[in-house]
Structure formats: structure tokens, C-alpha cells
Amino acid sequence: MLRDHVSANTVESLNNSINIVEPGRREFLKGLLSAGALVLSVRWTPQTVFAAATDSSSAGAVAPMANAPLHPNVYLAIDTDGTVYIIAHRSEMGSGSNTALPRIVADELDAEWSRVKIVQATGDEKYGDQDTDGSHSVRSFFDTLREAGGTARLMLVQAAAAQWNKPVTECHTELHEVIHAPSGKKLGYGELAASAAKLEVPKKEDVKLKARTDWRYIGKGTPNYDLKDMCDGKAVYGQDTRMDGMLYASVAHPPVFGSIAKTVDANAALAVTGVKQTASIEGFKPPVGYQTLGGVAVLADNTWSAMQGKKKLKIEWEKSPHSVYNSDSYKKELQDTARKPGKVVRENGNVNAIFAKDGKIVEAAYYAPLLAHASMEPPAALAVFHNGKVEVWAPTQNPQGAKDAIASALGLKKEDVTVNVTLLGGAFGRKSFPDFAIEAAVLAKKTGKPVKVVWSREDDIQFDTYHSVAAMYMKAALGADGKPEAWLQRTVFPPIGSTFDPKNNYSAADELGLGFTDVPFALPNHRVENGPATAHVRIGWLRSVANIYHAFAVHSFADELAHAAGRDSLDYLLQLLGPDRVIPKEELPKDYSNYDGAYEQYPIDTARFRRVLSLATEKAGWGKQKSGNGFGMGVAMHRSFLTYVATVVQVQVNDAGQVQIKRVDTALDAGTIVNPEMARQQFEGAAVMGTSLAFYGEITAKDGAIEQSNFNDYQVARMKHAPRETYVHIVPSEAPPAGIGEPGLPPFAPALCNAIFAATGKRVRELPLSRAGFA
């Protein structure tokens, strides 16, 4: 069911003692924590933090963390008053990572959650990978953070045992204290912090982690700890940053990718009240990568003046080779390529031999358009340059990448760049690219003043790092029993790799492994091909990446085959899976990346597919109401980011093509889930986002320039279009943790389109649905 609103009293009780430490609006931090290796066996001693916070009370907690005596590793510190400081080294954009990750530490530490304060990390290699994308924050750091908490717990026990002159084996921890059971003696963590700090950090093999049955936080749902601040307006996002004397900047970017300013007349812009100056930003040197697009900035003492000044600029742009890009002709080019043989990337058996026989052949072509991220908060960043060093505050998913890119753009050493991470008002992958933060840093250096770059919604949509457009072709030969004896699939799309190498027009193995080369069906003859596509815009990551269009094609086609065979869609899917098995790695491409998860630990297990399919369809009441006459149920399944998902969508379609999504049931098996509450929210949100993308998502270009500009022509689902009811069903599992933020999106569109077919008999093979007459 849609989540109930949390009352103000509930929010207060859940959050009144949990604090996030954010950079102050006018705070200039000169250093936070000394450099150190990401090694738990080495004590790490922080430097003193020098801060001048004037209007952010939370910033004052950074110094106490630095001064706390016990720092067993880079992720936590314990003060003499018992306060436990835990570093949130990943970005928070609504997925709950900076609640889930600290709770792993707190659980293993046996810390009382009400006495935990969370400190948002700056970009620093000592924390390990900080790029918050790919749905792997928990998966990548689950063991590391458990060891961090367990190490501190053991040191506290050792300190208490030494003080009591008792064996360590007779001592144990409960909430925030060490207990000697035989004598009943107790000591709080604060009382032990100073003495524990004098001990050697235990070796990894000496740290005994808790049994699953002893977990107190992992697997228990809790709201995001900064929920209260979000509700009362105290939460600090990139758009909220302020600094005395700063300038606001609005940047006119080249309307066509790869163009640069030929001439600039800024007189009218400079005449706008509040405008102080203009400044050029150098265009990128190919490949674009993480560089800025270049352009001309208007700097003013307020955002409105900067934006109005930008409108007054008269710029003549150099012609770009990408001016030839027109969506309609490009679409045909992709579709034509998908109809031709491509590079074979997976092959089992011999499909051609089967296709040559006299059998029933089913063919279908699918198309998914270019998409923009359109997150709630457009890009924004504040930068200050002083004494050869730059400090930036930004809603970035990738603070280390931003740090490197800023250093490169300004010709600085990495150690002379500090990137502070604010809350992110949505991101979906867009904010892994740091171009907007680089713009702020470049302008701060040029002007000698603090500069805040603010992108408008129009900037956000027209100069995005887009989700790729894709054309796919599917072909199958059905046997007498209706099962496919041969299955051919092709995908053609400009790859993300083209952003980092323009010559890259074939997809890399990791993109092809996003729902295409890892199809789990038991197929005796199966071939997967990839065709070339040239990119004319920046292609980047968007929530679930290539899984979106691959799931749409594969699971729409599976439904088509079911109807061609005269079979129930669910029964046919289960038959396609075949007997329960773990797919041997040798059946997959040699370069299959498996989301960077070890295949021995995260194999493709068809039994887990079967479980989520059975659960979702059971809860949805599959088969209880006959489809047709405007009512339809559709089902799809998908594995992405190592999580198994099945979605059932129920629709009612009237004679005018208006679609009401009556109910969505999604079942997921994500292994061990740290925070089920946030997991449910992510999958509920995926249903709404999936509705937006399926019905309206489409970015088009004419003569290289993007035609959409705001929500009037790049729509998102309104309340009347959103699913009426959404139910999320979690499969209990003790498997290793898998992804949460992205896996809910891929199966939604095919399940929706399959439901529309069941209701109307009209098959949708091209998105968005609005182009097919559905709304």
C-alpha cells in the first residue's frame, strides 16, 4: 500500500536525537581529518578542524568528532561523553544510504542509536569508493563497516577488562556499555573511550562479528534520520548553500553539443540591474568526460538577475558536427541497424539452423527514446578560491570524481581541492557528473569571489547527460509446444563509453550485461548481438541504466511469445525459466561483469526468479479477473544490480485511451536488506518514476539542439496518473546484500505495456505510451 504519512510527533520522536553534520552555509573548512589509508588495522588520528560557522549549528559537531579520543578507523569516533560519531561517506539523494551505512556500524558496535551523530564525509580516497551509483553502497561496504564497528567494540571490551583486571572472555557489550556478567560491573562507552584509544587496533582476524540473530538494527526498518530536517526546512541541499559576498552565476551553454562561442555581445546583459560581470568558460577538449560544456556566465548579486542577464546575451556559436542530429532520422538509423546482423556478444547453440527450418517465427522491434533525469533539484554548486586552494559545496554523487575534475580544470593538486557534499534533491545518476561544480570553481578563481552556479530547469533538461536512446530487434522460432527453439536479440544504442571516447560506438560488456547478455531463460539456441551507434549528446547514467530499455524489449517479447503460443503469460514465463538452476558462468559471455559482484557469491539463480514471480502474482490475484474489455494485468521480471524483481501491473483503459493504473505489486529478493523501510520506499518511488518515463519520457533534437525545456514538454506523472495502489513484497533472504535504489524500475514498463495489451489487444513496442495514443 502507499506509505502512510508519518505524523509530526512520530517524526519528532524518531529523529530528535539523530543529527547530521553538514557544512555550514558560510562555513569555510580548512581541513577535515588528516589523510590516511583505508586500513582498519592502522589507527587514524584527525587533525584539528578550523571552522567559522555562523548560521549552522550542526557544523559545530565536526570539531568534537575530530577531538574525540577514540578513532579506531576512518569511519567512526567515540567521545568521552559517549557520543558516537559515524562518517556517512556516500551521498544522500533519497535512497537512504547515509542512514543504512551508519546503522551497520552502530549495530556491530552495539551503539545506542539515539547517541549517534552522523558526519557527512568530504571527497577523500581514504573512505574507499564514494561514487553513489550502481546500487552498491551497502553491498560494497557491508563487511567493511561491520568490521569497523566490531573493531571499536572489541577495543572497548579490552579496555574494560583491563580496568577490571578480568578476562576479556568474561566481558560483553550491550547498548552503549561493557558488562562483566559474573560481577555485574558496567562501564559506558564514554568512560572507556580514552583508555581504549591507548590500545593497539586489533587485527581483522581477531574481530568476532555478531551472529545474524544478534543484529539489532540490520534488517529493521527506520525512517531516514534527516526526515525531520527535510520536513521543517532545515535540511541543506546544494541550492541552499550561501556565503557572504558571493556572486550568483547562470551559464549560457552551447545549444548544440561540441559548439563554442564565436562572438559574444554582453552589453545588454551588463545593463540588467544586479549583474556585475560576465565570464567565459572554456569548452571541453574531446572527449568531454567530466569536463564542462563551456559557455558564457553571467554573474550577479542574485539568481534572478543572473538568469535575466543570460537571456540578454547575444552569442554567435560555432557550427558543431553534431548539428546533423535529428531525432526522427536518428531513430530510423538505429532501427535499420538493429535489423542487420551485429557483433555477436553471446551465443549458445545455432539459431540460424533453427530459423532455416519451417517453423513458426515471431519477430518484433522495440524502441525507447532519449531520456533526461529531471531530478527535483537542478544542479547547483558553491565554490570559493583562496590562496591557491578551492573549496566546493555541491550535491554530488561522486565527490572524489568531482575533486579530480576540479583539480584538472584549475591546474591544482588534488590535495588543494575540498569537495563538501550537501544533500541531493534527487540525482538518478546525473550528479555523478561534476560539470556544474567545475563551473563554480572556475568562476570563483576568475572572479576572486565566492560563486554559486545555479542551473535552471531549462538548463537541466537541455544540457543533461542523457539516458541513451535504443532500438532492439527480437526474433524467435517456436516449437510445437510453443516454447522457443531459437531466440535472437539485438540491441543498438550510443553507449556511455562514447562520453569518454567519441570513437566508442559499440557497447561495453558491462552495459550489455545490464539485462541483455544475462537473459536467464532456458534456451537451447540463443544469440545476442550488438550494433554500432554514434552519440550526438553526452550519454550518462540514469537510474537502472540500460536495464530500462533491455527489460522493455526482452519482457515485452516474452509476453508476445506467450500470446503467440496461446499460453498464460505467467505460465509461459515460468516455462521459459525452465527447472530451477544456477546458470553456469560458462554460458554467459567471458567478459560478463555481473555488476562487479563475484559470480560465485552472486550467481544467476532461476529459483529466485521463480520466488519473486510467484509472490508478486499471488499477491496481485493473478488470474482471478479475466483480462479484456478495458481491464488488463501484465507481468514482467528482471534481475538488475544483483536483485531479483517481479512486477504485476493492473490497468483500466477507457475508449479514449486513458489509462488508470489501478494497482502495482512488486516482489523483490535483494538478499540481506539493512533497512526494509527505505527499500519499500525505493520500490514505491520506482512505480511512480516508471509511470512518468513510460507515458511521457522522451527527449528529441532538431539540428542538434534539444527541443524540450521544462515540465510543460517533458512531463512527469501527476497524481491522477500515478498508480492508485502500490504494494511492495520483500522475500526474506540471508543471501549477501544486493541493490535497492535501481532494480524497481526495469520491469515496470514491460509489465505496464503487457497490461495494456491484455486490456485492449493493442501491443506497444515504442515508448513513450503517449505517442501510441495512451495517456
Side-chain angles (χ1 to χ4, degrees):
M1 182 180 296
L2 290 171
R3 309 305 298 165
D4 294 331
H5 292 290
V6 182
S7 70
N9 289 337
T10 301
V11 172
E12 180 71 28
S13 66
L14 289 169
N15 292 277
N16 59 8
S17 57
I18 306 300
N19 300 292
I20 183 170
V21 180
E22 288 282 4
R25 291 181 178 178
R26 297 172 184 152
E27 181 182 7
F28 185 84
L29 298 180
K30 296 181 179 177
L32 173 60
L33 313 177
S34 66
L38 182 61
V39 180
L40 297 180
S41 60
V42 178
R43 176 171 291 112
W44 164 76
T45 306
Q47 296 176 343
T48 302
V49 175
F50 300 95
T54 58
D55 69 344
S56 176
S57 59
S58 63
V62 177
M65 177 181 181
N67 293 327
L70 180 56
H71 288 266
N73 49 66
V74 297
Y75 296 111
L76 79 153
I78 303 176
D79 211 341
T80 53
D81 65 355
T83 301
V84 173
Y85 299 92
I86 302 178
I87 287 284
H89 69 292
R90 289 298 186 109
S91 302
E92 178 54 54
M93 51 188 171
S95 59
S97 62
N98 69 342
T99 300
L101 296 176
R103 280 176 75 84
I104 296 171
V105 179
D107 197 325
E108 208 55 65
L109 177 59
D110 260 343
E112 186 175 349
W113 186 241
S114 64
R115 303 182 72 178
V116 170
K117 292 186 178 180
I118 299 174
V119 181
Q120 181 64 52
T122 58
D124 198 312
E125 293 175 355
K126 64 173 170 275
Y127 300 119
D129 181 11
Q130 289 181 269
D131 192 1
T132 311
D133 66 2
S135 294
H136 69 104
S137 291
V138 168
R139 170 167 64 91
S140 293
F141 286 91
F142 188 71
D143 292 338
T144 298
L145 294 178
R146 290 188 69 198
E147 290 164 12
T151 298
R153 173 167 47 84
L154 177 56
M155 294 176 72
L156 292 166
V157 169
Q158 290 173 336
Q163 187 168 327
W164 293 325
N165 196 25
K166 301 292 183 181
V168 170
T169 54
E170 292 183 2
C171 303
H172 70 279
T173 58
E174 291 185 7
L175 268 183
H176 235 77
E177 59 185 7
V178 180
I179 298 172
H180 181 244
S183 66
K185 293 181 179 179
K186 300 180 180 180
L187 283 172
Y189 285 0
E191 298 173 275
L192 293 166
S195 56
K198 299 174 183 178
L199 302 175
E200 290 294 324
V201 176
K203 295 179 181 179
K204 177 179 177 179
E205 54 268 26
D206 294 332
V207 178
K208 184 179 179 181
L209 300 180
K210 287 183 177 182
R212 179 180 289 265
T213 52
D214 294 331
W215 290 346
R216 64 173 73 247
Y217 301 133
I218 298 171
K220 311 295 193 302
T222 187
N224 206 323
Y225 70 86
D226 52 7
L227 177 62
K228 181 176 181 294
D229 284 350
M230 291 177 177
C231 292
D232 64 19
K234 292 178 182 177
V236 179
Y237 295 86
Q239 294 281 5
D240 296 323
T241 54
R242 302 285 188 277
M243 185 174 287
D244 286 338
M246 75 178 188
L247 295 174
Y248 296 81
S250 183
V251 181
H253 299 102
V256 179
F257 178 61
S259 181
I260 59 174
K262 186 176 181 180
T263 63
V264 179
D265 180 352
N267 290 329
L270 292 169
V272 173
T273 302
V275 171
K276 301 301 181 184
Q277 66 182 93
T278 63
S280 62
I281 297 177
E282 186 178 355
F284 64 86
K285 295 178 176 62
V288 60
Y290 286 155
Q291 299 176 79
T292 69
L293 293 172
V296 180
V298 175
L299 298 106
D301 57 16
N302 64 84
T303 307
W304 178 255
S305 294
M307 290 182 173
Q308 295 307 303
K310 182 176 72 172
K311 294 178 181 178
K312 298 288 186 180
L313 288 172
K314 297 177 181 178
I315 305 174
E316 181 183 0
W317 299 98
E318 295 276 7
K319 189 174 178 63
S320 166
H322 298 291
S323 297
V324 300
Y325 178 36
N326 289 284
S327 294
D328 288 343
S329 58
Y330 188 75
K331 173 183 177 180
K332 185 177 184 305
E333 179 184 331
L334 293 182
Q335 291 175 325
D336 289 346
T337 302
R339 287 280 183 177
K340 302 172 184 176
K343 182 172 66 174
V344 177
V345 292
R346 178 182 176 183
E347 187 164 30
N348 301 308
N350 187 336
V351 297
N352 287 342
I354 304 301
F355 289 144
K357 297 179 180 179
D358 292 330
K360 184 173 184 178
I361 302 296
V362 180
E363 297 178 271
Y366 300 91
Y367 175 81
L370 205 68
L371 299 175
H373 296 79
S375 56
M376 185 178 296
E377 177 193 34
L382 170 63
V384 59
F385 186 88
H386 183 66
N387 290 338
K389 298 183 179 182
V390 66
E391 185 154 12
V392 176
W393 289 260
T396 175
Q397 292 177 247
N398 185 11
Q400 290 179 30
K403 183 175 182 176
D404 293 348
I406 291 167
S408 177
L410 271 61
L412 301 176
K413 298 176 182 177
K414 284 199 299 184
E415 54 265 32
D416 291 332
V417 179
T418 300
V419 175
N420 301 287
V421 183
T422 66
L423 288 172
L424 286 66
F428 307 126
R430 167 62 180 95
K431 292 168 186 172
S432 284
F433 285 82
D435 50 337
F436 56 98
I438 299 171
E439 289 177 342
V442 167
L443 293 172
K445 183 179 180 181
K446 284 196 171 193
T447 63
K449 294 183 178 181
V451 173
K452 180 178 178 180
V453 166
V454 177
W455 284 39
S456 65
R457 179 61 65 195
E458 289 78 7
D459 296 327
D460 177 43
I461 289 178
Q462 294 189 320
F463 306 106
D464 199 1
T465 55
Y466 299 99
H467 176 65
S468 190
V469 54
M472 290 138 294
Y473 169 75
M474 313 289 291
K475 181 178 180 180
L478 301 186
D481 59 358
K483 293 171 62 177
E485 295 181 343
W487 177 302
L488 168 68
Q489 58 189 78
R490 294 193 193 110
T491 182
V492 181
F493 59 94
I496 294 172
S498 64
T499 300
F500 301 91
D501 180 1
K503 297 178 182 178
N504 192 339
N505 59 358
Y506 279 94
S507 306
D510 56 351
E511 280 186 277
L512 293 170
L514 303 178
F516 215 66
T517 58
D518 56 352
V519 169
F521 301 146
L523 301 168
N525 300 281
H526 182 206
R527 187 163 72 207
V528 183
E529 298 176 1
N530 176 222
T534 300
H536 294 292
V537 295
R538 292 188 297 177
I539 302 296
W541 303 277
L542 183 141
R543 187 180 189 182
S544 79
V545 217
N547 285 291
I548 293 177
Y549 39 81
H550 288 157
F552 171 57
V554 170
H555 298 293
S556 293
F557 190 58
D559 196 70
E560 293 208 40
L561 295 184
H563 286 274
R567 299 285 303 281
D568 174 79
S569 297
L570 173 61
D571 291 343
Y572 196 81
L573 264 182
L574 293 171
Q575 190 175 38
L576 282 176
L577 283 173
D580 290 348
R581 64 177 185 139
V582 170
I583 295 178
K585 191 175 181 181
E586 51 269 22
E587 283 189 22
L588 300 166
K590 291 181 180 179
D591 53 3
Y592 177 59
S593 63
N594 199 36
Y595 301 90
D596 293 326
Y599 198 77
E600 296 73 20
Q601 188 178 22
Y602 292 98
I604 300 175
D605 185 347
T606 62
R608 297 177 76 178
F609 274 116
R610 190 177 300 275
R611 278 196 291 272
V612 293
L613 270 173
S614 299
L615 180 59
T617 53
E618 176 193 346
K619 295 295 185 180
W622 183 269
K624 291 184 178 180
Q625 182 177 349
K626 185 178 180 180
S627 290
N629 298 317
F631 171 79
M633 297 181 72
V635 63
M637 66 177 193
H638 199 71
R639 174 184 182 265
S640 66
F641 305 95
L642 309 175
T643 290
Y644 299 77
V645 182
T647 296
V648 177
V649 176
Q650 302 183 38
V651 301
Q652 190 72 44
V653 186
N654 66 20
D655 292 340
Q658 294 176 320
V659 180
Q660 181 185 84
I661 302 176
K662 299 181 64 177
R663 175 172 172 146
V664 176
D665 284 89
T666 292
L668 66 133
D669 180 352
T672 298
I673 296 176
V674 173
N675 189 350
E677 175 72 11
M678 293 304 297
R680 291 188 181 93
Q681 291 175 19
Q682 288 299 296
F683 281 79
E684 290 162 358
V688 177
M689 185 175 184
T691 301
S692 295
L693 298 182
F695 276 99
Y696 313 111
E698 183 180 33
I699 290 292
T700 59
K702 183 177 181 180
D703 299 328
I706 300 302
E707 295 183 291
Q708 290 71 31
S709 62
N710 210 312
F711 290 128
N712 62 311
D713 48 16
Y714 189 75
Q715 296 185 52
V716 296
R718 272 60 170 180
M719 288 182 68
K720 66 178 182 178
H721 297 126
R724 292 293 189 269
E725 299 177 35
T726 298
Y727 297 84
V728 178
H729 316 285
I730 297 175
V731 174
S733 176
E734 295 189 4
I740 292 295
E742 299 174 80
L745 198 56
F748 184 84
L752 172 61
C753 292
N754 294 340
I756 290 173
F757 174 79
T760 67
K762 297 178 181 178
R763 182 66 68 180
V764 178
R765 298 189 181 97
E766 296 187 6
L767 296 175
L769 286 162
S770 55
R771 280 192 174 264
F774 294 105

